[in-house]
Short mmCIF file of all heavy atoms in Angstrom, two decimals:
data_model
loop_
_atom_site.label_atom_id
_atom_site.label_comp_id
_atom_site.label_asym_id
_atom_site.label_seq_id
_atom_site.Cartn_x
_atom_site.Cartn_y
_atom_site.Cartn_z
N MET A 1106 0.84 -1.17 0.00
CA MET A 1106 0.00 0.00 0.00
C MET A 1106 0.89 1.24 0.00
O MET A 1106 1.77 1.38 0.84
CB MET A 1106 -0.90 -0.02 1.25
CG MET A 1106 -1.73 1.22 1.39
SD MET A 1106 -2.82 1.22 2.82
CE MET A 1106 -4.04 0.07 2.30
N ARG A 1107 0.65 2.09 -0.94
CA ARG A 1107 1.41 3.34 -1.01
C ARG A 1107 0.92 4.32 0.05
O ARG A 1107 -0.24 4.28 0.44
CB ARG A 1107 1.28 3.96 -2.39
CG ARG A 1107 1.95 3.12 -3.48
CD ARG A 1107 1.87 3.75 -4.82
NE ARG A 1107 0.46 3.98 -5.17
CZ ARG A 1107 0.04 4.80 -6.10
NH1 ARG A 1107 0.89 5.48 -6.80
NH2 ARG A 1107 -1.24 4.94 -6.36
N ASN A 1108 1.83 5.19 0.48
CA ASN A 1108 1.44 6.21 1.46
C ASN A 1108 2.32 7.44 1.30
O ASN A 1108 3.35 7.39 0.62
CB ASN A 1108 1.52 5.64 2.88
CG ASN A 1108 2.92 5.30 3.30
OD1 ASN A 1108 3.75 6.18 3.51
ND2 ASN A 1108 3.22 4.01 3.39
N ARG A 1109 1.90 8.51 1.95
CA ARG A 1109 2.61 9.79 1.89
C ARG A 1109 3.31 10.11 3.21
O ARG A 1109 3.66 11.26 3.45
CB ARG A 1109 1.62 10.91 1.57
CG ARG A 1109 0.94 10.79 0.24
CD ARG A 1109 -0.03 11.95 -0.01
NE ARG A 1109 0.62 13.23 0.21
CZ ARG A 1109 0.03 14.27 0.80
NH1 ARG A 1109 -1.19 14.18 1.25
NH2 ARG A 1109 0.68 15.40 0.97
N ILE A 1110 3.54 9.12 4.05
CA ILE A 1110 4.07 9.39 5.38
C ILE A 1110 5.44 10.06 5.32
O ILE A 1110 5.69 11.05 6.01
CB ILE A 1110 4.11 8.11 6.23
CG1 ILE A 1110 2.69 7.59 6.45
CG2 ILE A 1110 4.80 8.37 7.57
CD1 ILE A 1110 2.61 6.22 7.07
N LYS A 1111 6.32 9.53 4.50
CA LYS A 1111 7.67 10.11 4.41
C LYS A 1111 7.61 11.57 3.99
O LYS A 1111 8.27 12.43 4.57
CB LYS A 1111 8.53 9.30 3.43
CG LYS A 1111 9.95 9.78 3.34
CD LYS A 1111 10.76 8.86 2.43
CE LYS A 1111 12.23 9.27 2.39
NZ LYS A 1111 13.01 8.34 1.57
N GLU A 1112 6.82 11.84 2.98
CA GLU A 1112 6.66 13.21 2.48
C GLU A 1112 6.11 14.13 3.58
O GLU A 1112 6.65 15.23 3.81
CB GLU A 1112 5.70 13.18 1.28
CG GLU A 1112 5.21 14.50 0.79
CD GLU A 1112 4.08 14.35 -0.23
OE1 GLU A 1112 3.90 13.25 -0.80
OE2 GLU A 1112 3.37 15.35 -0.43
N LEU A 1113 5.07 13.69 4.26
CA LEU A 1113 4.47 14.50 5.32
C LEU A 1113 5.41 14.67 6.51
O LEU A 1113 5.51 15.76 7.09
CB LEU A 1113 3.15 13.88 5.78
CG LEU A 1113 2.04 13.84 4.73
CD1 LEU A 1113 0.90 12.95 5.20
CD2 LEU A 1113 1.55 15.24 4.43
N ARG A 1114 6.12 13.61 6.84
CA ARG A 1114 7.07 13.65 7.95
C ARG A 1114 8.16 14.68 7.68
O ARG A 1114 8.51 15.49 8.54
CB ARG A 1114 7.68 12.26 8.15
CG ARG A 1114 8.76 12.20 9.20
CD ARG A 1114 9.29 10.81 9.38
NE ARG A 1114 9.86 10.19 8.20
CZ ARG A 1114 11.08 10.47 7.70
NH1 ARG A 1114 11.83 11.38 8.27
NH2 ARG A 1114 11.52 9.83 6.64
N LYS A 1115 8.68 14.68 6.45
CA LYS A 1115 9.74 15.62 6.09
C LYS A 1115 9.23 17.06 6.06
O LYS A 1115 9.96 17.99 6.41
CB LYS A 1115 10.37 15.23 4.76
CG LYS A 1115 11.24 14.01 4.89
CD LYS A 1115 11.98 13.71 3.61
CE LYS A 1115 12.98 12.60 3.87
NZ LYS A 1115 13.92 12.47 2.75
N GLU A 1116 7.97 17.25 5.63
CA GLU A 1116 7.39 18.59 5.60
C GLU A 1116 7.38 19.25 6.98
O GLU A 1116 7.54 20.45 7.09
CB GLU A 1116 5.96 18.55 5.05
CG GLU A 1116 5.87 18.42 3.56
CD GLU A 1116 4.43 18.35 3.07
OE1 GLU A 1116 3.48 18.62 3.85
OE2 GLU A 1116 4.24 18.00 1.89
N VAL A 1117 7.16 18.44 8.01
CA VAL A 1117 7.10 19.00 9.37
C VAL A 1117 8.42 18.84 10.12
O VAL A 1117 8.53 19.22 11.28
CB VAL A 1117 5.93 18.40 10.20
CG1 VAL A 1117 4.60 18.76 9.56
CG2 VAL A 1117 6.08 16.91 10.37
N GLY A 1118 9.44 18.31 9.44
CA GLY A 1118 10.77 18.24 10.02
C GLY A 1118 10.97 17.18 11.08
O GLY A 1118 11.76 17.37 12.00
N LEU A 1119 10.27 16.05 10.96
CA LEU A 1119 10.43 14.96 11.91
C LEU A 1119 11.33 13.88 11.35
O LEU A 1119 11.26 13.57 10.15
CB LEU A 1119 9.07 14.31 12.24
CG LEU A 1119 8.05 15.14 13.02
CD1 LEU A 1119 6.73 14.39 13.10
CD2 LEU A 1119 8.58 15.45 14.40
N SER A 1120 12.16 13.30 12.19
CA SER A 1120 12.92 12.11 11.79
C SER A 1120 12.01 10.90 11.96
O SER A 1120 10.94 10.99 12.58
CB SER A 1120 14.16 11.95 12.68
OG SER A 1120 13.76 11.62 14.01
N GLN A 1121 12.44 9.76 11.45
CA GLN A 1121 11.67 8.54 11.65
C GLN A 1121 11.59 8.21 13.14
O GLN A 1121 10.54 7.77 13.62
CB GLN A 1121 12.30 7.37 10.90
CG GLN A 1121 12.11 7.46 9.41
CD GLN A 1121 12.71 6.28 8.67
OE1 GLN A 1121 13.61 5.60 9.16
NE2 GLN A 1121 12.22 6.04 7.46
N SER A 1122 12.65 8.46 13.87
CA SER A 1122 12.65 8.22 15.32
C SER A 1122 11.65 9.12 16.03
O SER A 1122 10.91 8.68 16.92
CB SER A 1122 14.04 8.43 15.91
OG SER A 1122 14.94 7.48 15.42
N ASP A 1123 11.63 10.40 15.64
CA ASP A 1123 10.69 11.36 16.24
C ASP A 1123 9.25 10.92 15.99
O ASP A 1123 8.42 10.93 16.89
CB ASP A 1123 10.88 12.76 15.66
CG ASP A 1123 12.21 13.40 16.00
OD1 ASP A 1123 12.80 13.03 17.04
OD2 ASP A 1123 12.65 14.26 15.22
N LEU A 1124 8.97 10.53 14.75
CA LEU A 1124 7.61 10.11 14.40
C LEU A 1124 7.24 8.85 15.17
O LEU A 1124 6.14 8.75 15.72
CB LEU A 1124 7.49 9.89 12.90
CG LEU A 1124 6.11 9.45 12.40
CD1 LEU A 1124 5.03 10.45 12.80
CD2 LEU A 1124 6.13 9.25 10.89
N GLY A 1125 8.16 7.90 15.21
CA GLY A 1125 7.89 6.67 15.95
C GLY A 1125 7.58 6.95 17.41
O GLY A 1125 6.65 6.36 17.97
N GLU A 1126 8.34 7.85 18.01
CA GLU A 1126 8.11 8.20 19.41
C GLU A 1126 6.71 8.79 19.61
O GLU A 1126 6.00 8.43 20.55
CB GLU A 1126 9.18 9.19 19.88
CG GLU A 1126 9.16 9.46 21.35
CD GLU A 1126 10.34 10.30 21.78
OE1 GLU A 1126 11.48 9.92 21.47
OE2 GLU A 1126 10.10 11.35 22.41
N ARG A 1127 6.31 9.67 18.72
CA ARG A 1127 4.98 10.29 18.82
C ARG A 1127 3.86 9.29 18.61
O ARG A 1127 2.76 9.46 19.14
CB ARG A 1127 4.85 11.44 17.82
CG ARG A 1127 5.71 12.62 18.18
CD ARG A 1127 5.47 13.76 17.24
NE ARG A 1127 6.36 14.86 17.55
CZ ARG A 1127 6.12 16.12 17.20
NH1 ARG A 1127 5.03 16.42 16.52
NH2 ARG A 1127 6.98 17.06 17.52
N LEU A 1128 4.14 8.26 17.80
CA LEU A 1128 3.12 7.26 17.50
C LEU A 1128 3.17 6.05 18.43
O LEU A 1128 2.27 5.22 18.41
CB LEU A 1128 3.27 6.77 16.05
CG LEU A 1128 3.06 7.82 14.96
CD1 LEU A 1128 3.45 7.24 13.60
CD2 LEU A 1128 1.63 8.32 14.96
N GLY A 1129 4.23 5.94 19.20
CA GLY A 1129 4.37 4.80 20.09
C GLY A 1129 4.85 3.54 19.39
O GLY A 1129 4.52 2.43 19.80
N VAL A 1130 5.62 3.73 18.31
CA VAL A 1130 6.19 2.59 17.58
C VAL A 1130 7.68 2.85 17.38
O VAL A 1130 8.17 3.96 17.58
CB VAL A 1130 5.49 2.36 16.21
CG1 VAL A 1130 4.02 2.06 16.39
CG2 VAL A 1130 5.69 3.54 15.27
N SER A 1131 8.40 1.85 16.91
CA SER A 1131 9.84 2.00 16.70
C SER A 1131 10.14 2.72 15.39
O SER A 1131 9.30 2.82 14.49
CB SER A 1131 10.50 0.62 16.66
OG SER A 1131 10.09 -0.09 15.51
N ARG A 1132 11.38 3.21 15.29
CA ARG A 1132 11.85 3.83 14.06
C ARG A 1132 11.79 2.80 12.93
O ARG A 1132 11.44 3.13 11.79
CB ARG A 1132 13.29 4.33 14.22
CG ARG A 1132 13.83 4.98 12.94
CD ARG A 1132 15.34 4.99 12.87
NE ARG A 1132 15.95 3.68 12.93
CZ ARG A 1132 16.04 2.83 11.89
NH1 ARG A 1132 15.52 3.14 10.72
NH2 ARG A 1132 16.62 1.66 12.04
N GLN A 1133 12.10 1.55 13.25
CA GLN A 1133 12.08 0.49 12.24
C GLN A 1133 10.66 0.28 11.70
O GLN A 1133 10.48 0.02 10.50
CB GLN A 1133 12.63 -0.82 12.82
CG GLN A 1133 14.11 -0.77 13.13
CD GLN A 1133 14.44 -0.22 14.52
OE1 GLN A 1133 13.59 0.34 15.21
NE2 GLN A 1133 15.68 -0.39 14.93
N SER A 1134 9.67 0.40 12.56
CA SER A 1134 8.27 0.27 12.11
C SER A 1134 7.90 1.41 11.17
O SER A 1134 7.27 1.19 10.14
CB SER A 1134 7.32 0.25 13.31
OG SER A 1134 7.49 -0.91 14.06
N VAL A 1135 8.31 2.62 11.52
CA VAL A 1135 8.04 3.77 10.65
C VAL A 1135 8.71 3.54 9.30
O VAL A 1135 8.08 3.75 8.25
CB VAL A 1135 8.54 5.09 11.30
CG1 VAL A 1135 8.46 6.25 10.31
CG2 VAL A 1135 7.76 5.40 12.56
N ASN A 1136 9.96 3.10 9.30
CA ASN A 1136 10.68 2.83 8.07
C ASN A 1136 9.96 1.79 7.22
O ASN A 1136 9.80 1.97 6.00
CB ASN A 1136 12.11 2.38 8.39
CG ASN A 1136 12.92 2.13 7.15
OD1 ASN A 1136 12.85 1.04 6.57
ND2 ASN A 1136 13.68 3.12 6.74
N ALA A 1137 9.52 0.71 7.83
CA ALA A 1137 8.84 -0.37 7.10
C ALA A 1137 7.51 0.11 6.52
O ALA A 1137 7.16 -0.25 5.39
CB ALA A 1137 8.62 -1.57 8.01
N ILE A 1138 6.78 0.94 7.24
CA ILE A 1138 5.50 1.45 6.74
C ILE A 1138 5.75 2.42 5.59
O ILE A 1138 5.09 2.35 4.55
CB ILE A 1138 4.69 2.12 7.87
CG1 ILE A 1138 4.26 1.06 8.89
CG2 ILE A 1138 3.48 2.85 7.30
CD1 ILE A 1138 3.72 1.64 10.19
N GLU A 1139 6.72 3.33 5.76
CA GLU A 1139 7.04 4.28 4.68
C GLU A 1139 7.45 3.56 3.40
O GLU A 1139 7.08 3.98 2.31
CB GLU A 1139 8.18 5.21 5.11
CG GLU A 1139 7.79 6.27 6.09
CD GLU A 1139 8.91 7.22 6.44
OE1 GLU A 1139 10.07 7.01 6.01
OE2 GLU A 1139 8.63 8.21 7.14
N ALA A 1140 8.21 2.48 3.55
CA ALA A 1140 8.72 1.73 2.39
C ALA A 1140 7.68 0.77 1.80
O ALA A 1140 7.92 0.17 0.76
CB ALA A 1140 9.96 0.95 2.80
N GLY A 1141 6.53 0.64 2.45
CA GLY A 1141 5.49 -0.25 1.95
C GLY A 1141 5.72 -1.71 2.27
O GLY A 1141 5.06 -2.58 1.72
N ARG A 1142 6.68 -1.99 3.17
CA ARG A 1142 6.93 -3.38 3.56
C ARG A 1142 5.99 -3.84 4.67
O ARG A 1142 5.91 -5.02 4.96
CB ARG A 1142 8.38 -3.54 4.04
CG ARG A 1142 9.41 -3.35 2.93
CD ARG A 1142 10.80 -3.70 3.39
NE ARG A 1142 11.18 -3.10 4.65
CZ ARG A 1142 11.77 -1.91 4.80
NH1 ARG A 1142 12.04 -1.18 3.75
NH2 ARG A 1142 12.09 -1.47 6.00
N HIS A 1143 5.32 -2.90 5.28
CA HIS A 1143 4.38 -3.19 6.37
C HIS A 1143 3.19 -2.25 6.21
O HIS A 1143 3.36 -1.09 5.85
CB HIS A 1143 5.07 -2.98 7.72
CG HIS A 1143 4.18 -3.27 8.89
ND1 HIS A 1143 3.84 -4.54 9.27
CD2 HIS A 1143 3.55 -2.43 9.75
CE1 HIS A 1143 3.05 -4.47 10.33
NE2 HIS A 1143 2.86 -3.21 10.63
N ILE A 1144 2.01 -2.75 6.48
CA ILE A 1144 0.80 -1.92 6.42
C ILE A 1144 0.42 -1.54 7.84
O ILE A 1144 0.33 -2.40 8.72
CB ILE A 1144 -0.36 -2.67 5.73
CG1 ILE A 1144 0.02 -2.99 4.29
CG2 ILE A 1144 -1.64 -1.84 5.78
CD1 ILE A 1144 -0.98 -3.88 3.57
N ALA A 1145 0.19 -0.27 8.05
CA ALA A 1145 -0.19 0.22 9.38
C ALA A 1145 -1.54 -0.36 9.78
O ALA A 1145 -2.45 -0.48 8.95
CB ALA A 1145 -0.26 1.74 9.39
N SER A 1146 -1.67 -0.71 11.05
CA SER A 1146 -2.96 -1.15 11.56
C SER A 1146 -3.93 0.03 11.49
O SER A 1146 -3.52 1.19 11.39
CB SER A 1146 -2.82 -1.61 13.01
OG SER A 1146 -2.49 -0.50 13.84
N LEU A 1147 -5.21 -0.26 11.57
CA LEU A 1147 -6.20 0.81 11.51
C LEU A 1147 -6.03 1.81 12.66
O LEU A 1147 -6.03 3.02 12.41
CB LEU A 1147 -7.61 0.22 11.49
CG LEU A 1147 -8.74 1.21 11.19
CD1 LEU A 1147 -8.49 1.97 9.89
CD2 LEU A 1147 -10.06 0.47 11.14
N PRO A 1148 -5.84 1.35 13.91
CA PRO A 1148 -5.62 2.32 14.98
C PRO A 1148 -4.37 3.19 14.73
O PRO A 1148 -4.40 4.40 14.98
CB PRO A 1148 -5.45 1.47 16.23
CG PRO A 1148 -6.18 0.20 15.93
CD PRO A 1148 -5.97 -0.02 14.45
N LEU A 1149 -3.31 2.59 14.21
CA LEU A 1149 -2.10 3.37 13.92
C LEU A 1149 -2.35 4.34 12.77
O LEU A 1149 -1.89 5.49 12.80
CB LEU A 1149 -0.93 2.45 13.61
CG LEU A 1149 0.41 3.12 13.34
CD1 LEU A 1149 0.83 4.03 14.49
CD2 LEU A 1149 1.48 2.08 13.05
N ALA A 1150 -3.10 3.92 11.77
CA ALA A 1150 -3.42 4.80 10.65
C ALA A 1150 -4.20 6.03 11.14
O ALA A 1150 -3.95 7.15 10.68
CB ALA A 1150 -4.22 4.04 9.58
N PHE A 1151 -5.12 5.82 12.08
CA PHE A 1151 -5.85 6.96 12.65
C PHE A 1151 -4.91 7.89 13.41
O PHE A 1151 -5.03 9.11 13.32
CB PHE A 1151 -6.98 6.48 13.57
CG PHE A 1151 -8.26 6.20 12.84
CD1 PHE A 1151 -8.66 4.89 12.63
CD2 PHE A 1151 -9.05 7.22 12.37
CE1 PHE A 1151 -9.84 4.61 11.97
CE2 PHE A 1151 -10.24 6.95 11.69
CZ PHE A 1151 -10.64 5.64 11.49
N LYS A 1152 -3.96 7.33 14.16
CA LYS A 1152 -2.99 8.16 14.89
C LYS A 1152 -2.16 9.00 13.91
O LYS A 1152 -1.92 10.18 14.15
CB LYS A 1152 -2.03 7.28 15.69
CG LYS A 1152 -2.53 6.82 17.01
CD LYS A 1152 -1.39 6.03 17.70
CE LYS A 1152 -1.70 5.72 19.12
NZ LYS A 1152 -0.60 4.97 19.76
N ILE A 1153 -1.73 8.36 12.83
CA ILE A 1153 -0.93 9.06 11.82
C ILE A 1153 -1.74 10.19 11.20
O ILE A 1153 -1.27 11.32 11.07
CB ILE A 1153 -0.44 8.07 10.74
CG1 ILE A 1153 0.57 7.09 11.36
CG2 ILE A 1153 0.17 8.81 9.56
CD1 ILE A 1153 0.88 5.89 10.48
N ALA A 1154 -2.98 9.90 10.85
CA ALA A 1154 -3.85 10.91 10.24
C ALA A 1154 -4.07 12.08 11.19
O ALA A 1154 -4.00 13.25 10.78
CB ALA A 1154 -5.18 10.30 9.84
N ARG A 1155 -4.32 11.79 12.47
CA ARG A 1155 -4.51 12.88 13.45
C ARG A 1155 -3.24 13.71 13.61
O ARG A 1155 -3.30 14.93 13.68
CB ARG A 1155 -4.95 12.31 14.79
CG ARG A 1155 -6.42 11.97 14.88
CD ARG A 1155 -6.87 11.72 16.30
NE ARG A 1155 -6.19 10.58 16.91
CZ ARG A 1155 -6.60 9.33 16.82
NH1 ARG A 1155 -7.69 9.03 16.14
NH2 ARG A 1155 -5.93 8.35 17.40
N LEU A 1156 -2.10 13.03 13.65
CA LEU A 1156 -0.84 13.74 13.83
C LEU A 1156 -0.59 14.74 12.70
O LEU A 1156 -0.14 15.86 12.94
CB LEU A 1156 0.32 12.73 13.89
CG LEU A 1156 1.70 13.35 14.08
CD1 LEU A 1156 1.89 13.78 15.52
CD2 LEU A 1156 2.77 12.37 13.68
N PHE A 1157 -0.90 14.34 11.48
CA PHE A 1157 -0.67 15.21 10.33
C PHE A 1157 -1.91 16.04 9.95
O PHE A 1157 -1.89 16.76 8.96
CB PHE A 1157 -0.20 14.39 9.13
CG PHE A 1157 1.17 13.81 9.31
CD1 PHE A 1157 1.36 12.44 9.33
CD2 PHE A 1157 2.28 14.62 9.46
CE1 PHE A 1157 2.62 11.88 9.49
CE2 PHE A 1157 3.54 14.09 9.63
CZ PHE A 1157 3.71 12.72 9.65
N ASP A 1158 -2.98 15.93 10.74
CA ASP A 1158 -4.22 16.66 10.50
C ASP A 1158 -4.74 16.41 9.08
O ASP A 1158 -5.06 17.34 8.34
CB ASP A 1158 -4.03 18.15 10.76
CG ASP A 1158 -5.35 18.90 10.86
OD1 ASP A 1158 -6.36 18.29 11.26
OD2 ASP A 1158 -5.37 20.11 10.53
N LYS A 1159 -4.77 15.13 8.71
CA LYS A 1159 -5.25 14.70 7.39
C LYS A 1159 -6.26 13.58 7.56
O LYS A 1159 -6.35 12.95 8.60
CB LYS A 1159 -4.09 14.15 6.55
CG LYS A 1159 -2.93 15.08 6.34
CD LYS A 1159 -3.20 16.02 5.24
CE LYS A 1159 -1.96 16.88 4.97
NZ LYS A 1159 -2.29 18.08 4.25
N LYS A 1160 -7.02 13.32 6.49
CA LYS A 1160 -7.88 12.14 6.46
C LYS A 1160 -7.02 10.94 6.07
O LYS A 1160 -6.02 11.09 5.36
CB LYS A 1160 -9.00 12.32 5.44
CG LYS A 1160 -10.01 13.40 5.82
CD LYS A 1160 -11.16 13.42 4.87
CE LYS A 1160 -10.82 14.33 3.71
NZ LYS A 1160 -11.93 14.51 2.77
N ILE A 1161 -7.40 9.77 6.56
CA ILE A 1161 -6.64 8.56 6.25
C ILE A 1161 -6.46 8.40 4.75
O ILE A 1161 -5.36 8.09 4.28
CB ILE A 1161 -7.31 7.31 6.87
CG1 ILE A 1161 -7.13 7.32 8.39
CG2 ILE A 1161 -6.73 6.02 6.29
CD1 ILE A 1161 -7.84 6.20 9.11
N GLU A 1162 -7.51 8.63 3.99
CA GLU A 1162 -7.43 8.44 2.54
C GLU A 1162 -6.53 9.46 1.86
O GLU A 1162 -6.12 9.28 0.72
CB GLU A 1162 -8.82 8.40 1.90
CG GLU A 1162 -9.66 9.63 2.16
CD GLU A 1162 -10.60 9.49 3.36
OE1 GLU A 1162 -10.25 8.78 4.32
OE2 GLU A 1162 -11.66 10.11 3.33
N ASP A 1163 -6.17 10.55 2.57
CA ASP A 1163 -5.22 11.53 2.02
C ASP A 1163 -3.77 11.06 2.25
O ASP A 1163 -2.85 11.63 1.67
CB ASP A 1163 -5.42 12.90 2.67
CG ASP A 1163 -6.73 13.54 2.27
OD1 ASP A 1163 -7.28 13.18 1.20
OD2 ASP A 1163 -7.23 14.39 3.04
N ILE A 1164 -3.59 10.07 3.10
CA ILE A 1164 -2.25 9.57 3.42
C ILE A 1164 -2.00 8.21 2.77
O ILE A 1164 -0.92 7.97 2.23
CB ILE A 1164 -2.06 9.47 4.94
CG1 ILE A 1164 -2.21 10.86 5.58
CG2 ILE A 1164 -0.70 8.86 5.28
CD1 ILE A 1164 -2.22 10.85 7.09
N PHE A 1165 -2.99 7.33 2.82
CA PHE A 1165 -2.83 5.97 2.33
C PHE A 1165 -3.60 5.77 1.03
O PHE A 1165 -4.74 6.22 0.92
CB PHE A 1165 -3.33 4.96 3.38
CG PHE A 1165 -2.53 5.00 4.65
CD1 PHE A 1165 -2.94 5.78 5.72
CD2 PHE A 1165 -1.38 4.24 4.79
CE1 PHE A 1165 -2.21 5.83 6.89
CE2 PHE A 1165 -0.65 4.28 5.95
CZ PHE A 1165 -1.05 5.07 7.01
N ASP A 1166 -3.00 5.07 0.08
CA ASP A 1166 -3.63 4.80 -1.21
C ASP A 1166 -3.61 3.29 -1.46
O ASP A 1166 -2.53 2.71 -1.63
CB ASP A 1166 -2.88 5.54 -2.32
CG ASP A 1166 -3.49 5.34 -3.70
OD1 ASP A 1166 -4.57 4.72 -3.80
OD2 ASP A 1166 -2.87 5.78 -4.67
N ASP A 1167 -4.77 2.68 -1.47
CA ASP A 1167 -4.81 1.23 -1.67
C ASP A 1167 -5.10 0.83 -3.11
O ASP A 1167 -5.27 -0.35 -3.40
CB ASP A 1167 -5.83 0.59 -0.74
CG ASP A 1167 -7.26 0.96 -1.07
OD1 ASP A 1167 -7.47 1.93 -1.81
OD2 ASP A 1167 -8.17 0.27 -0.59
N THR A 1168 -5.11 1.79 -4.03
CA THR A 1168 -5.37 1.44 -5.42
C THR A 1168 -4.12 0.87 -6.06
O THR A 1168 -3.00 1.31 -5.79
CB THR A 1168 -5.84 2.66 -6.24
OG1 THR A 1168 -4.85 3.70 -6.15
CG2 THR A 1168 -7.17 3.19 -5.72
N GLU A 1169 -4.30 -0.14 -6.89
CA GLU A 1169 -3.18 -0.75 -7.60
C GLU A 1169 -2.89 0.07 -8.85
O GLU A 1169 -3.80 0.57 -9.50
CB GLU A 1169 -3.54 -2.18 -8.01
CG GLU A 1169 -3.76 -3.11 -6.84
CD GLU A 1169 -2.49 -3.34 -6.03
OE1 GLU A 1169 -1.42 -3.45 -6.64
OE2 GLU A 1169 -2.59 -3.42 -4.80
N THR A 1170 -1.61 0.19 -9.17
CA THR A 1170 -1.25 0.93 -10.39
C THR A 1170 -0.69 -0.01 -11.42
O THR A 1170 -0.24 -1.08 -11.14
CB THR A 1170 -0.21 2.02 -10.08
OG1 THR A 1170 0.92 1.43 -9.44
CG2 THR A 1170 -0.80 3.09 -9.21
#
């Protein structure tokens, strides 16, 4: 699943470690989600959306290309 987490994270000047700390996950988890190797759980997706003040569908894209 594609996402805009890396782009949004960089816009606000957060490192992967900073984002992980705010979300209660490891830097490695943030890296895996950004790279598309792991899909965020629904509760985590809501946390991410709230943190960036976006709707989930503005961050995550489940359409195949």
Side-chain angles (χ1 to χ4, degrees):
M1106 175 179 287
R1107 293 183 302 162
N1108 66 70
R1109 297 180 52 220
I1110 297 170
K1111 183 176 184 177
E1112 169 190 342
L1113 295 168
R1114 176 178 59 76
K1115 287 187 172 192
E1116 282 178 12
V1117 297
L1119 292 174
S1120 68
Q1121 288 182 337
S1122 295
D1123 294 334
L1124 181 57
E1126 189 173 306
R1127 290 184 183 202
L1128 296 172
V1130 300
S1131 68
R1132 179 203 59 80
Q1133 292 87 347
S1134 293
V1135 171
N1136 181 276
I1138 293 168
E1139 285 183 354
R1142 293 188 311 270
H1143 180 74
I1144 298 173
S1146 67
L1147 190 55
L1149 182 56
F1151 274 106
K1152 278 184 170 180
I1153 293 167
R1155 280 193 298 273
L1156 180 76
F1157 292 117
D1158 194 28
K1159 304 278 185 200
K1160 293 187 272 185
I1161 289 176
E1162 57 265 32
D1163 292 337
I1164 299 173
F1165 297 94
D1166 181 7
D1167 68 344
T1168 58
E1169 296 294 322
T1170 55

